[in-house]
Amino acid sequence: MVNFLIFGPPGSGKGTQSVKLAEKFNLTHLSTGDMLRAEIAAGTQLGIKMSSIMSKGELVPDEVVIEMIAAKIDSSKDCAGFLFDGFPRTVAQTVALEKMLNDRGMKINSMLVLDVEHDELVKRLVLRAEQSGRPDDKDPVVIKNRIDVYKAKTEPIIDYCRKRGIYQPINGMGTIEDIFGRLSRNMKKYL
Ligand code: B4P
């Protein structure tokens, strides 16, 4: 199994690219954002609790997403590996993921980090709000908070992964197809 993290600030294209990459390389795509939104849509107790955190642009508690990911890893079969999208988002989540994978005889093979300019991130999220109606994309104050939370809590993972030799920066500016090509060429080295 070959396992990838797709990483970057909100709106950097993690979700967009993950769907295409998972299909191309037969990877299981695990998006904690999608899992949380599914809980909200289903009206579960967990979803009700998490929706107010997410609509403010804050991170949900580490233990919630760690538990979700562990359950998905154990129920996924017949794939070439996992593509983790939007997880981990803290160093504590990264340590938990490494342990989860090590316990199952696996590791994180590569961390692909999408570099996108700040103004472009805001533009993409505002545009998505018009189409998807996601509450966390509608309000510029919430968008700013999500980017601030990314810098404070999520970006430190880059240094952590750089020390492990798995950090791969990818230019995340340009068309969806251009970026898909860059990511695919990089991932092919491992598959
Ligand atoms: P996520 O669902 O992970 O959302 P995101 O970071 O906003 O999205 P992404 O970067 O995937 O953007 P996308 O491709 O869609 O998280 C949402 C929330 O859930 C978090 O704020 C947090 O509260 C919670 N959460 C999730 N995981 C968590 C965790 N592990 N721990 C704690 N909390 C967690 O792209 C955005 C838009 O840009 C799209 O409309 C797309 O069409 C467009 N786009 C993409 N690429 C483009 C390109 N090249 N050119 C033009 N437009 C492009």
Side-chain angles (χ1 to χ4, degrees):
M1 299 276 264
V2 183
N3 303 306
F4 299 92
L5 307 185
I6 186 151
F7 200 88
S12 56
K14 302 183 293 286
T16 306
Q17 296 295 338
S18 294
V19 172
K20 293 165 70 69
L21 293 166
E23 199 193 338
K24 181 175 168 100
F25 294 116
N26 185 31
L27 299 168
T28 297
H29 172 205
L30 298 181
S31 158
T32 40
D34 287 350
M35 290 175 208
L36 291 163
R37 282 186 290 277
E39 293 285 335
I40 295 171
T44 64
Q45 283 299 329
L46 181 73
I48 293 164
K49 262 168 87 180
M50 296 309 123
S51 76
S52 67
I53 301 175
M54 290 169 70
S55 64
K56 289 188 208 111
E58 296 294 330
L59 296 181
V60 309
D62 286 342
E63 56 276 19
V64 170
V65 282
I66 290 167
E67 212 173 291
M68 282 178 161
I69 287 284
K72 290 283 181 185
I73 289 177
D74 288 332
S75 63
S76 303
K77 305 257 176 303
D78 300 330
C79 60
F82 292 100
L83 178 57
F84 296 96
D85 160 17
F87 178 89
R89 260 181 161 91
T90 62
V91 172
Q93 291 180 21
T94 316
V95 173
L97 176 63
E98 280 185 315
K99 181 167 184 333
M100 243 184 264
L101 293 174
N102 289 343
D103 288 350
R104 291 160 178 81
M106 297 185 279
K107 63 179 183 175
I108 304 168
N109 295 83
S110 176
M111 174 210 218
L112 303 149
V113 182
L114 292 167
D115 289 326
V116 179
E117 288 163 16
H118 179 273
D119 290 353
E120 173 69 12
L121 296 175
V122 176
K123 204 170 87 188
R124 289 182 191 175
L125 294 176
V126 168
L127 203 69
R128 180 169 67 186
E130 286 169 16
Q131 294 145 8
S132 74
R134 258 176 65 170
D136 57 343
D137 288 341
K138 273 189 192 146
D139 183 347
V141 177
V142 174
I143 292 179
K144 183 181 178 305
N145 189 41
R146 286 162 64 196
I147 295 172
D148 289 348
V149 167
Y150 171 80
K151 286 191 178 139
K153 298 190 176 163
T154 306
E155 221 168 40
I157 301 172
I158 293 181
D159 256 357
Y160 182 91
C161 287
R162 196 184 265 130
K163 285 182 191 135
R164 278 163 166 62
I166 57 172
Y167 164 70
Q168 297 281 331
I170 306 284
N171 178 2
M173 298 288 289
T175 68
I176 289 171
E177 285 309 319
D178 285 346
I179 300 160
F180 179 60
R182 286 176 208 137
L183 287 162
S184 298
R185 279 192 292 280
N186 200 293
M187 288 168 76
K188 269 193 194 136
K189 293 189 276 184
Y190 300 86
L191 288 155

